[in-house]
Amino acid sequence: MQGDDDIPGIGQYDDFHTIDWQRDIARDRMRHRYIVKKRQDSIWDLIKGAHDAWSGWVCVLLVGVATGMVAGVIDIGASWMTDLKFGICPAAFWFNREQCCWSDTNTTFDSGNCSQWLTWPQVFGDRGDGAGAYIISYLFYIVWALLFAALSASLVRMFAPYACGSGIPEIKTILSGFIIRGYLGKWTLIIKVVGLILSVSSGLSLGKEGPMVHIASCLGNILSYLFPKYGRNEAKKREILSAAAAAGVSVAFGAPIGGVLFSLEEVSYYFPLKTLWRSFFCALIAAFILRSINPFGNEHSVLFFVEYNKPWIFFELIPFVGLGIIGGCIATIFIKANIYWCRYRKYSKLGQYPVTEVLVVTLVTAIIAYPNPYTRMNTSELIYLLFNQCGISNSDPLCDYNRNFTDANSAIEKAAAGPGVHRAIWLLVLALILKLVMTIFTFGIKVPCGLFIPSLALGAIAGRIVGIGVEQLAYHYPKIWLFSGECSTGDDCITPGLYAMVGAAAVLGGVTRMTVSLVVIMFELTGGVRYIVPLMAAAMASKWVGDALGRQGIYDAHIALNGYPFLDSKDEFQHTSLAADVMQPKRNETLSVITQDSMTVDDVETLLKETEHNGYPVVVSKESQYLVGFVLRRDLNLAIANARRTMEGIIGQSVVIFAGAVNPPAGAPPCLHLNRILDMAPITVTDQTPMETVVDMFRKLGLRQTLVTHNGRLLGVITKKDVLRHVKQMDNEDPSSVLFN
Amino acid sequence: MQGDDDIPGIGQYDDFHTIDWQRDIARDRMRHRYIVKKRQDSIWDLIKGAHDAWSGWVCVLLVGVATGMVAGVIDIGASWMTDLKFGICPAAFWFNREQCCWSDTNTTFDSGNCSQWLTWPQVFGDRGDGAGAYIISYLFYIVWALLFAALSASLVRMFAPYACGSGIPEIKTILSGFIIRGYLGKWTLIIKVVGLILSVSSGLSLGKEGPMVHIASCLGNILSYLFPKYGRNEAKKREILSAAAAAGVSVAFGAPIGGVLFSLEEVSYYFPLKTLWRSFFCALIAAFILRSINPFGNEHSVLFFVEYNKPWIFFELIPFVGLGIIGGCIATIFIKANIYWCRYRKYSKLGQYPVTEVLVVTLVTAIIAYPNPYTRMNTSELIYLLFNQCGISNSDPLCDYNRNFTDANSAIEKAAAGPGVHRAIWLLVLALILKLVMTIFTFGIKVPCGLFIPSLALGAIAGRIVGIGVEQLAYHYPKIWLFSGECSTGDDCITPGLYAMVGAAAVLGGVTRMTVSLVVIMFELTGGVRYIVPLMAAAMASKWVGDALGRQGIYDAHIALNGYPFLDSKDEFQHTSLAADVMQPKRNETLSVITQDSMTVDDVETLLKETEHNGYPVVVSKESQYLVGFVLRRDLNLAIANARRTMEGIIGQSVVIFAGAVNPPAGAPPCLHLNRILDMAPITVTDQTPMETVVDMFRKLGLRQTLVTHNGRLLGVITKKDVLRHVKQMDNEDPSSVLFN
């Protein structure tokens, strides 16, 4: 391993290959020791040493700042273009509705209308509320939606196919040690940002939170090239990417701690504790920058800031757990249907017309969504509305209770639901069905699209409906023993908004199978420890129901669908097979090996031509098969080509020497010494090692392959692909769906 | 490994030994598979299977409930006994001062006095404020303090010597896979609870937060015995202990998320993500139970609830970072002095008189502490006072500003410090010195004592002083460019309480080297994201200063002092040595091995008598040294004893067969087949493996030993002790300080 930097290209990886963590970490330590040693030589080396020591912090600082700024741009852009579907600010067309109304000093935003902002019918002179105005609005809504969606899909198709989707499955795979060139590149970044603004504005049932993780990871990848320590070492680069993923969630929800836990729990694979602190720093900086830009225009740095004035009551745990079960069921329906549809798209003609598909989905969504006010509005606004409790100033039909607001200071009394609430519930049921169906068809189309927000919306709708149900039950039957304690005083004891939040957590938990990070994100959204217990109860119920009905979360399902080589660190290997059952070659095949000092260059080149392995074990002799080391195909190719080019006398008959100092007999061509590319410390296991231990070693040590021996003799090789295929086979799935090595 | 349960005792560990994680996890998976297979047999087995699946959750639920309840008992007990030093409630002597004053309906606690509560001079009829009353109070204070401390020290000395100290270093060691029998037992628990109440009440400079982690871990250990899955498997038990440690911090600070992160970052070693979710559940239940008991008697479940009405200003980052540096220095002084003193205690006669030492320290503390109001009061109260901002109702000298409170609704104006503030600062400087010195001598004495609270207090004092300094600077020189922006409007722009909080975080961070968990705990204490950036800046500065001045945090320093075999997962191994340099035996020594089929029972027993290794490699033959497997000394002893007792014909000349099926020649005694205790899958490395990889494997796979081979031949063994000694040697420390194996 000492000669890594002598021959150009050695130590790099090919596209769609798995990295070797141990090797990369060893390379980094060597580089570090070299810098430490040189530090005494001169002031310049001392500065270089200091720069190297600080580069990790500087890099995550830059990533945090960049992520915060990009998130601000996306928030502002998406908000302006979303409002553009409804109208325009003639005084300054680049203002969104809220800013437009602010510039008009005398109206408040809450009243819902301001004179500065013109809806499209108003622009065309129709200031009434009649059918004509409605049709003009409807048409403009559809046309803008189609325009945005078409633009987004075309940009993605033309410039950066990797920019579509949420990106989280791929980022999970990349962080687990896989190379996908260009997935985190600058074109993907630019197109993802622009496409995301467009697709969010088009009113499709998608969110910008998942893609934000992808965008942050792109920024992390691009900025890591400023620091060779990270840019040129794939294992070290993943430390920056983990931090970037945390920053992405941090800006998406305004939840830095939740972001770090998300990165730790859901996305990251190799997460040394040193990285935890840096990820936290990165997430915090990103949130701080975003808050300074202040796209939400308020004091709070979070997406949905809610405050309830009532604590929850112990018996409410029953409906909360019920909501968890409902959430788990909704999530399972969604995952199964979405995977079914994505598989159909993948293997049918549909996959060849991505832009057409986007346009059709957009058109259907726009036509169905507009008439229902709850689907017409921005999904974030809908969630915010559902999370809120009904106050005096809230004029939405959802808050149409038969109440008597004579004394504004007293506690809100219990009240019967008015006709507005009944109508709102029906509209919400429709919205739930529509959103569920549209999201199934939307997640996976070729525009940037996330599903945190649609999942939250589904859960919030279900939760609000359940919440109103429980509230009315408590109003009409206050004598039931459940309600008799706290609900008999006449005060309002049930907060439907809290149910919406719990439901939202349940569906999101069921879809993504997040646990701690989900609860922490929801807790950071509300800013109070008080509601952690309900959130946790619902998230647990939802996860259990989800796990019982279908094993995988949406991201893992998409990883399996795409055949990425991802070895889940949360799944336990349950079977009794031994290393001998899994290793290649199987019986009756021979293992391709190289001997340490008896093969010629021609022999080696023939072997390289005839086989396609990524690496070859080096043994003492073909007869004894005692293991000496391991050499990579790529290194071997490069080293032989390099030797033929630069060293004199190396011909096909030269003997290749990997270990020991053998002198060639007189008259023979000089030997080719390749001990520098030989890994003398390959990880080995015995053939009797249980596969659970082998899987554990692959996960924890980040191996690419391990060699199998018996009493010191080499028997075979197990690669990561072999392990993944074996896991699939044991789970009765198709092992050939593992595509890459 | 298949025969683990056949011979009693196999699979258990001796006291002061390291566990083998891989083996224990494998045993658990085997047990699990057995249960899953049997589940189809009968309803009873199905119930057993369900019980097994749920037992993890049930166990952490029980641990959470128990921890919350015990924490409530400690809080109530300590608060009552602390007040007992000052006076008594004659109407109900079991009330503390606050409860006593509540029972007296017409007085509020804030006014500081109530008629129901009698101070000791009042009890004896002296209702004045003169010198006589002062002396009586002083004497009672000292007598009670001595009484409590003597009782605490005697209980610890007599019944449970493991109950002293904070316990966190030992728990870190235990969680890293070490056995200390009795350290988490029921006697330790009982004495630690009682002793903790007594020692906290005695007014010593110590806190109850660290020992709470020990208490929670004891509860986790005791309750895990209800579930054989955890109680009988040391590796699985550590999952419960990790959750318990999280619950301990959770109840200590009312910070469940911070508790989980503390457990993850600071205490735990092996922390699968599945455990994260369970630890969070445990921490939350514990916090919820404690909140239901409500020992603090208020709405908030946190120790110090503070709310500031001013945001921090960007330039304040300079003093915050300065506070971080000060905090790092204070922490380093504390660690160095404390370790020096503890080492002196350990190796001198002082160690033989623990109770006397406690009494002397208590006496000195009580005599010096009483005259200064800031050291006389409970340390928690002091911290709360320092964290708070000066409101209108705050009558402490710290808030004696020359202000004009005519309009109570307007913002607080800037004001010059009055004479009370000047006096308070001098008292605080004295308190800082006293607390620092007393804590150095206190941490390590033989009573239960933690140092979270003393560290927080040190930092809060330093921070408040700096805060008042900056505040007065801004008042007197509002024209300096730094202050000219936000501080020129006449409003109060600096909150000294915030500085106290930042300082507290800085010192605690410097002492314990906590990072993310520290920030999250402090954030949960205040309940607002607003101040995370200042806290983080100070914590980072403090950690860097601490790391620059002395490598270890207080817990790691105490682990090193006690010689525990703890392999820190955060330290990177920086050296270039190879496995061949570290392995035993060194050159010129022979390796003790057992052959697979040519040694007799007598040979093996001689080997066991002559050597003291914990295990022996099994090889094909002494000449070839090709490795077959590994057998543990303990298993070998048990198996031979068992065979001699139960099997016929086994005599000293019987050949021991570990692998293969060799038939004894006619007339020879029957063979003893020991293949069931042979581990056929020992972890091996080659002699050329860099030690950094070996250390990584020890950490990540939780190894007890690894075998070193060269070209398939066995060369030697590396045990955890060898690794630890090598690390010490490379760091130029005394390798013989590693005591255990």
Side-chain angles (χ1 to χ4, degrees):
Chain A
M1 228 175 284
Q2 294 92 321
D4 273 5
D5 297 325
D6 291 0
I7 305 169
I10 284 189
Q12 304 298 311
Y13 299 97
D14 290 326
D15 201 4
F16 294 110
H17 271 69
T18 299
I19 70 170
D20 186 336
W21 293 86
Q22 289 296 324
R23 182 180 138 129
D24 278 13
I25 296 292
R27 274 179 58 217
D28 180 67
R29 289 203 187 123
M30 211 150 58
R31 196 197 47 74
H32 179 71
R33 274 194 293 264
Y34 175 76
I35 288 176
V36 169
K37 210 174 67 189
K38 263 198 96 177
R39 209 152 58 180
Q40 281 105 38
D41 292 3
S42 71
I43 296 283
W44 178 236
D45 284 319
L46 191 67
I47 293 169
K48 276 208 282 191
H51 169 77
D52 183 73
W54 283 88
S55 61
W57 288 98
V58 177
C59 188
V60 294
L61 174 70
L62 293 179
V63 173
V65 170
T67 305
M69 280 163 44
V70 172
V73 169
I74 291 171
D75 282 342
I76 291 166
S79 140
W80 174 67
M81 289 178 78
T82 302
D83 286 346
L84 202 60
K85 284 189 301 188
F86 298 98
I88 199 166
C89 195
F93 74 90
W94 59 89
F95 276 3
N96 68 11
R97 180 169 144 156
E98 198 172 342
Q99 289 161 326
C100 189
C101 293
W102 275 346
S103 64
D104 183 7
T105 44
N106 282 326
T107 43
T108 60
F109 181 57
D110 278 343
S111 68
N113 257 314
C114 65
S115 56
Q116 287 284 314
W117 177 261
L118 296 185
T119 60
W120 291 115
Q122 286 167 345
V123 172
F124 291 97
D126 186 346
R127 299 201 156 262
D129 258 350
Y134 188 82
I135 289 167
I136 293 175
S137 302
Y138 203 164
L139 280 178
F140 262 95
Y141 183 90
I142 293 172
V143 169
W144 279 116
L146 283 173
L147 189 70
F148 293 155
L151 204 57
S152 177
S154 315
L155 282 172
V156 167
R157 188 171 167 76
M158 280 191 289
F159 298 106
Y162 283 148
C164 69
S166 87
I168 293 182
E170 284 80 8
I171 288 170
K172 278 183 82 159
T173 312
I174 289 174
L175 283 173
S176 83
F178 191 60
I179 307 276
I180 309 180
R181 295 227 181 281
Y183 199 85
L184 301 176
K186 60 178 178 309
W187 279 107
T188 308
L189 172 67
I190 295 167
I191 298 302
K192 189 119 193 181
V193 170
V194 177
L196 184 60
I197 296 175
L198 287 165
S199 64
V200 165
S201 313
S202 73
L204 280 164
S205 182
L206 50 79
K208 60 184 165 43
E209 282 63 25
M212 212 78 113
V213 176
H214 186 182
I215 289 169
S217 300
C218 289
L219 288 167
N221 178 52
I222 293 166
L223 290 169
S224 77
Y225 284 108
L226 297 179
F227 306 90
K229 178 177 178 180
Y230 294 100
R232 298 199 44 188
N233 189 316
E234 292 291 339
K236 292 293 282 180
K237 190 195 278 175
R238 275 152 183 78
E239 291 179 13
I240 302 290
L241 295 183
S242 293
V249 175
S250 167
V251 290
F253 294 101
I257 302 171
V260 174
L261 286 173
F262 176 83
S263 173
L264 171 68
E265 190 191 356
E266 193 62 25
V267 188
S268 298
Y269 197 79
Y270 169 76
F271 206 98
L273 284 173
K274 213 178 57 185
T275 313
L276 191 67
W277 186 217
R278 243 181 240 163
S279 299
F280 188 58
F281 177 71
C282 185
L284 198 64
I285 293 291
F288 184 71
I289 296 289
L290 181 64
R291 217 198 121 195
S292 309
I293 299 176
N294 198 6
F296 306 118
N298 58 22
E299 260 286 281
H300 309 296
S301 58
V302 298
L303 199 49
F304 319 107
F305 185 81
V306 273
E307 254 177 347
Y308 305 120
N309 51 19
K310 280 275 166 192
W312 58 280
I313 308 163
F314 199 74
F315 80 83
E316 287 189 284
L317 276 181
I318 300 167
F320 291 149
V321 169
L323 266 178
I325 295 170
I326 295 172
C329 294
I330 293 177
T332 308
I333 294 171
F334 170 75
I335 294 173
K336 300 246 173 199
N338 179 256
I339 290 296
Y340 179 83
W341 182 247
C342 286
R343 181 166 291 130
Y344 173 76
R345 181 190 295 121
K346 198 170 172 176
Y347 295 113
S348 74
K349 271 194 163 171
L350 181 64
Q352 296 162 26
Y353 306 103
V355 180
T356 318
E357 189 194 355
V358 170
L359 286 179
V360 171
V361 172
T362 311
L363 184 66
V364 173
T365 307
I367 289 174
I368 309 182
Y370 190 83
N372 185 338
Y374 295 115
T375 50
R376 187 195 313 159
M377 65 171 69
N378 188 328
T379 315
S380 303
E381 277 172 38
L382 171 65
I383 297 171
Y384 187 63
L385 176 74
L386 293 169
F387 278 11
N388 253 318
Q389 60 180 357
C390 287
I392 295 162
S393 62
N394 201 324
S395 59
D396 193 89
L398 262 182
C399 292
D400 175 29
Y401 290 90
N402 298 322
R403 273 197 193 109
N404 202 342
F405 284 122
T406 44
D407 181 4
N409 283 324
S410 81
I412 298 170
E413 325 151 53
K414 282 202 294 190
V421 175
H422 290 295
R423 193 162 162 270
I425 287 182
W426 284 113
L427 287 173
L428 283 177
V429 170
L430 283 176
L432 179 64
I433 296 167
L434 171 70
K435 284 229 168 251
L436 179 58
V437 174
M438 290 321 301
T439 310
I440 289 170
F441 288 103
T442 306
F443 189 70
I445 61 173
K446 300 295 176 205
V447 292
C449 59
L451 49 62
F452 281 99
I453 290 285
S455 307
L456 287 174
L458 289 176
I461 295 172
R464 186 82 187 203
I465 294 170
V466 171
I468 293 173
V470 175
E471 180 195 47
Q472 292 306 310
L473 213 62
Y475 175 73
H476 289 293
Y477 306 99
K479 296 272 147 48
I480 298 180
W481 63 270
L482 269 181
F483 305 125
S484 56
E486 289 86 352
C487 289
S488 52
T489 56
D491 271 8
D492 208 11
C493 62
I494 309 285
T495 313
L498 176 60
Y499 283 74
M501 187 191 290
V502 170
V507 173
L508 184 56
V511 170
T512 61
R513 304 289 155 85
M514 287 155 65
T515 54
V516 181
S517 47
L518 172 72
V519 175
V520 174
I521 288 174
M522 297 302 289
F523 149 74
E524 285 190 87
L525 288 186
T526 60
V529 278
R530 220 186 221 176
Y531 305 105
I532 291 189
V533 173
L535 288 169
M536 179 133 189
M540 273 165 97
S542 157
K543 185 172 153 60
W544 281 333
V545 168
D547 283 343
L549 296 178
R551 219 166 38 80
Q552 290 174 313
I554 187 81
Y555 300 129
D556 290 329
H558 273 264
I559 287 174
L561 181 67
N562 289 319
Y564 294 128
F566 180 74
L567 191 58
D568 197 338
S569 53
K570 268 167 280 183
D571 268 356
E572 273 190 33
F573 185 84
Q574 301 281 8
H575 313 285
T576 48
S577 39
L578 298 177
D581 308 331
V582 180
M583 68 179 189
Q584 299 286 349
K586 298 287 173 213
R587 228 160 296 159
N588 306 328
E589 294 168 36
T590 50
L591 175 66
S592 315
V593 293
I594 298 179
T595 57
Q596 65 174 352
D597 54 5
S598 59
M599 281 171 81
T600 63
V601 171
D602 278 346
D603 292 341
V604 172
E605 286 187 329
T606 313
L607 184 71
L608 283 171
K609 245 172 246 153
E610 282 175 359
T611 57
E612 288 183 332
H613 304 296
N614 280 318
Y616 300 88
V618 177
V619 294
V620 173
S621 67
K622 289 234 174 181
E623 298 73 42
S624 72
Q625 297 272 348
Y626 288 116
L627 180 69
V628 175
F630 192 80
V631 65
L632 290 176
R633 177 197 193 82
R634 191 186 152 95
D635 291 356
L636 208 51
N637 267 326
L638 287 166
I640 291 178
N642 187 60
R644 280 194 188 267
R645 207 171 49 241
T646 59
M647 281 166 67
E648 263 178 53
I650 297 292
I651 56 171
Q653 277 72 45
S654 300
V655 175
V656 182
I657 307 281
F658 285 98
V662 181
N663 286 317
C671 297
L672 173 55
H673 287 273
L674 290 186
N675 49 350
R676 307 185 83 182
I677 61 166
L678 178 69
D679 177 8
M680 298 278 283
I683 304 284
T684 59
V685 296
T686 68
D687 57 340
Q688 296 297 309
T689 310
M691 271 310 286
E692 52 199 29
T693 305
V694 177
V695 170
D696 220 38
M697 287 173 74
F698 267 90
R699 277 182 196 145
K700 289 191 179 151
L701 302 177
L703 303 182
R704 190 148 81 156
Q705 73 280 316
T706 179
L707 303 174
V708 183
T709 60
H710 177 79
N711 291 8
R713 282 162 198 266
L714 180 69
L715 288 186
V717 180
I718 299 179
T719 64
K720 194 166 178 183
K721 193 176 181 175
D722 297 328
V723 173
L724 284 163
R725 281 193 169 156
H726 181 70
V727 170
K728 289 253 180 214
Q729 207 165 25
M730 283 299 179
D731 295 347
N732 295 320
E733 288 166 35
D734 178 19
S736 65
S737 67
V738 179
L739 292 180
F740 310 101
N741 203 352
Chain B
M1 230 174 281
Q2 293 91 322
D4 272 5
D5 298 325
D6 291 0
I7 306 168
I10 284 188
Q12 304 298 312
Y13 300 97
D14 289 327
D15 201 4
F16 294 111
H17 271 70
T18 300
I19 69 170
D20 185 337
W21 293 85
Q22 290 295 325
R23 181 181 139 126
D24 277 14
I25 297 290
R27 272 179 60 218
D28 179 65
R29 288 200 189 126
M30 211 151 58
R31 196 197 47 77
H32 179 71
R33 275 194 292 267
Y34 175 76
I35 288 175
V36 169
K37 211 174 66 187
K38 263 197 97 178
R39 209 151 57 182
Q40 280 104 38
D41 292 1
S42 70
I43 296 284
W44 176 237
D45 285 318
L46 190 69
I47 293 170
K48 276 206 284 190
H51 170 76
D52 183 73
W54 283 89
S55 61
W57 288 98
V58 176
C59 188
V60 294
L61 173 71
L62 293 179
V63 172
V65 170
T67 305
M69 279 164 40
V70 171
V73 168
I74 291 172
D75 282 343
I76 292 167
S79 140
W80 174 67
M81 289 178 76
T82 303
D83 286 347
L84 202 60
K85 285 188 302 190
F86 298 99
I88 200 168
C89 194
F93 73 90
W94 59 88
F95 276 2
N96 68 11
R97 179 168 144 155
E98 197 171 344
Q99 288 160 328
C100 189
C101 292
W102 277 343
S103 65
D104 182 7
T105 46
N106 281 326
T107 42
T108 60
F109 181 57
D110 279 343
S111 68
N113 257 314
C114 66
S115 58
Q116 286 285 314
W117 177 260
L118 295 186
T119 60
W120 290 115
Q122 285 167 346
V123 171
F124 291 97
D126 186 346
R127 301 201 155 259
D129 260 347
Y134 188 84
I135 289 167
I136 293 176
S137 300
Y138 204 164
L139 280 179
F140 263 95
Y141 183 90
I142 293 171
V143 169
W144 279 116
L146 284 174
L147 190 68
F148 293 155
L151 206 54
S152 178
S154 314
L155 281 172
V156 168
R157 187 172 168 74
M158 279 191 289
F159 299 106
Y162 283 149
C164 70
S166 88
I168 292 182
E170 286 79 9
I171 287 170
K172 279 183 82 160
T173 312
I174 290 174
L175 282 174
S176 83
F178 191 61
I179 307 276
I180 307 179
R181 296 226 180 281
Y183 199 84
L184 301 175
K186 59 179 179 307
W187 278 108
T188 309
L189 171 67
I190 295 167
I191 299 301
K192 189 119 193 182
V193 169
V194 176
L196 183 61
I197 296 175
L198 287 165
S199 63
V200 166
S201 314
S202 73
L204 280 164
S205 183
L206 50 80
K208 61 183 164 45
E209 282 62 27
M212 212 76 112
V213 176
H214 186 181
I215 289 169
S217 301
C218 289
L219 288 167
N221 178 51
I222 292 167
L223 290 168
S224 78
Y225 285 109
L226 297 179
F227 306 90
K229 178 178 178 180
Y230 295 99
R232 297 198 45 186
N233 189 315
E234 292 291 339
K236 294 292 282 180
K237 189 196 277 176
R238 276 154 182 76
E239 291 179 14
I240 302 291
L241 295 182
S242 294
V249 176
S250 167
V251 291
F253 294 102
I257 301 172
V260 174
L261 285 173
F262 177 82
S263 173
L264 171 67
E265 190 190 356
E266 193 61 25
V267 188
S268 297
Y269 197 79
Y270 170 75
F271 205 97
L273 284 174
K274 212 177 59 184
T275 314
L276 191 67
W277 185 218
R278 243 182 241 162
S279 298
F280 188 58
F281 177 71
C282 186
L284 198 64
I285 293 290
F288 184 72
I289 296 289
L290 181 63
R291 217 196 122 198
S292 307
I293 298 175
N294 198 6
F296 305 120
N298 59 21
E299 260 287 281
H300 309 294
S301 57
V302 300
L303 201 47
F304 318 108
F305 185 82
V306 274
E307 252 177 349
Y308 305 119
N309 49 20
K310 280 274 168 191
W312 59 280
I313 308 163
F314 199 74
F315 81 82
E316 286 189 285
L317 275 182
I318 300 168
F320 291 149
V321 169
L323 265 179
I325 295 169
I326 295 172
C329 294
I330 293 178
T332 308
I333 295 170
F334 170 75
I335 293 173
K336 300 246 174 199
N338 179 255
I339 290 296
Y340 179 83
W341 182 246
C342 285
R343 179 165 293 130
Y344 173 75
R345 180 190 296 123
K346 198 171 171 175
Y347 295 114
S348 75
K349 271 195 167 173
L350 181 64
Q352 295 163 25
Y353 307 101
V355 179
T356 318
E357 189 194 356
V358 169
L359 286 180
V360 170
V361 172
T362 311
L363 184 66
V364 174
T365 307
I367 289 174
I368 309 182
Y370 190 85
N372 185 338
Y374 296 115
T375 49
R376 187 195 313 158
M377 65 171 69
N378 188 327
T379 315
S380 304
E381 276 172 38
L382 172 65
I383 297 171
Y384 186 64
L385 176 73
L386 294 168
F387 279 11
N388 253 319
Q389 60 179 356
C390 287
I392 296 164
S393 62
N394 202 325
S395 59
D396 194 87
L398 263 181
C399 293
D400 176 29
Y401 290 91
N402 298 323
R403 277 200 190 105
N404 201 345
F405 286 120
T406 45
D407 182 3
N409 282 323
S410 80
I412 299 170
E413 325 152 51
K414 284 202 291 190
V421 174
H422 290 295
R423 194 162 162 270
I425 287 181
W426 284 115
L427 285 173
L428 282 177
V429 170
L430 283 177
L432 179 64
I433 296 166
L434 171 70
K435 283 228 168 254
L436 179 58
V437 173
M438 289 323 299
T439 311
I440 288 169
F441 288 103
T442 305
F443 189 70
I445 60 172
K446 301 293 176 206
V447 291
C449 58
L451 49 64
F452 281 99
I453 289 285
S455 308
L456 287 173
L458 289 175
I461 295 171
R464 186 82 188 205
I465 294 170
V466 171
I468 292 173
V470 175
E471 180 195 47
Q472 292 306 312
L473 214 62
Y475 175 73
H476 289 293
Y477 307 101
K479 296 270 146 50
I480 299 181
W481 62 270
L482 267 182
F483 305 124
S484 55
E486 287 86 352
C487 289
S488 52
T489 56
D491 270 9
D492 207 12
C493 62
I494 309 285
T495 312
L498 176 60
Y499 284 74
M501 189 192 291
V502 170
V507 173
L508 184 56
V511 170
T512 61
R513 304 289 154 84
M514 284 155 67
T515 54
V516 181
S517 47
L518 172 71
V519 175
V520 173
I521 287 173
M522 298 302 287
F523 149 74
E524 284 190 88
L525 287 187
T526 61
V529 279
R530 220 185 220 174
Y531 304 105
I532 291 189
V533 173
L535 288 170
M536 180 135 188
M540 273 164 95
S542 157
K543 186 174 153 59
W544 281 332
V545 169
D547 283 344
L549 296 178
R551 218 165 42 80
Q552 289 175 314
I554 186 81
Y555 299 130
D556 290 330
H558 273 265
I559 286 175
L561 180 68
N562 289 318
Y564 295 129
F566 180 75
L567 190 57
D568 198 338
S569 53
K570 268 167 279 184
D571 268 355
E572 274 190 32
F573 184 84
Q574 300 282 8
H575 314 285
T576 49
S577 40
L578 298 177
D581 308 332
V582 180
M583 67 179 189
Q584 299 287 350
K586 299 286 173 214
R587 228 161 295 159
N588 307 328
E589 293 169 38
T590 50
L591 176 65
S592 315
V593 293
I594 298 180
T595 58
Q596 63 175 353
D597 54 6
S598 59
M599 280 171 81
T600 62
V601 172
D602 278 347
D603 292 342
V604 172
E605 286 187 328
T606 314
L607 183 70
L608 283 172
K609 244 172 247 155
E610 284 175 357
T611 58
E612 287 184 332
H613 305 296
N614 280 317
Y616 301 89
V618 176
V619 295
V620 174
S621 66
K622 289 233 173 180
E623 298 73 42
S624 72
Q625 296 272 346
Y626 290 117
L627 180 69
V628 175
F630 192 81
V631 66
L632 291 176
R633 177 197 193 80
R634 190 185 152 95
D635 291 358
L636 210 48
N637 267 325
L638 287 167
I640 292 177
N642 187 58
R644 280 193 189 268
R645 206 170 53 239
T646 60
M647 283 165 69
E648 262 177 53
I650 298 292
I651 55 169
Q653 278 74 44
S654 298
V655 175
V656 181
I657 307 282
F658 284 98
V662 181
N663 286 317
C671 297
L672 173 56
H673 288 273
L674 290 184
N675 48 349
R676 309 185 82 181
I677 62 164
L678 179 69
D679 177 8
M680 297 278 284
I683 304 284
T684 59
V685 295
T686 69
D687 57 339
Q688 296 297 309
T689 310
M691 270 313 284
E692 51 199 28
T693 305
V694 176
V695 170
D696 221 38
M697 287 174 75
F698 267 90
R699 277 181 196 146
K700 290 190 178 153
L701 302 177
L703 303 182
R704 190 149 80 156
Q705 73 278 318
T706 180
L707 303 174
V708 183
T709 61
H710 177 79
N711 291 9
R713 282 163 199 267
L714 180 69
L715 288 185
V717 181
I718 299 179
T719 65
K720 194 167 179 183
K721 192 174 181 175
D722 297 327
V723 173
L724 286 163
R725 280 194 169 156
H726 180 69
V727 170
K728 290 254 178 210
Q729 206 164 24
M730 283 298 180
D731 295 346
N732 295 320
E733 288 167 34
D734 177 20
S736 65
S737 67
V738 178
L739 291 181
F740 309 101
N741 204 352

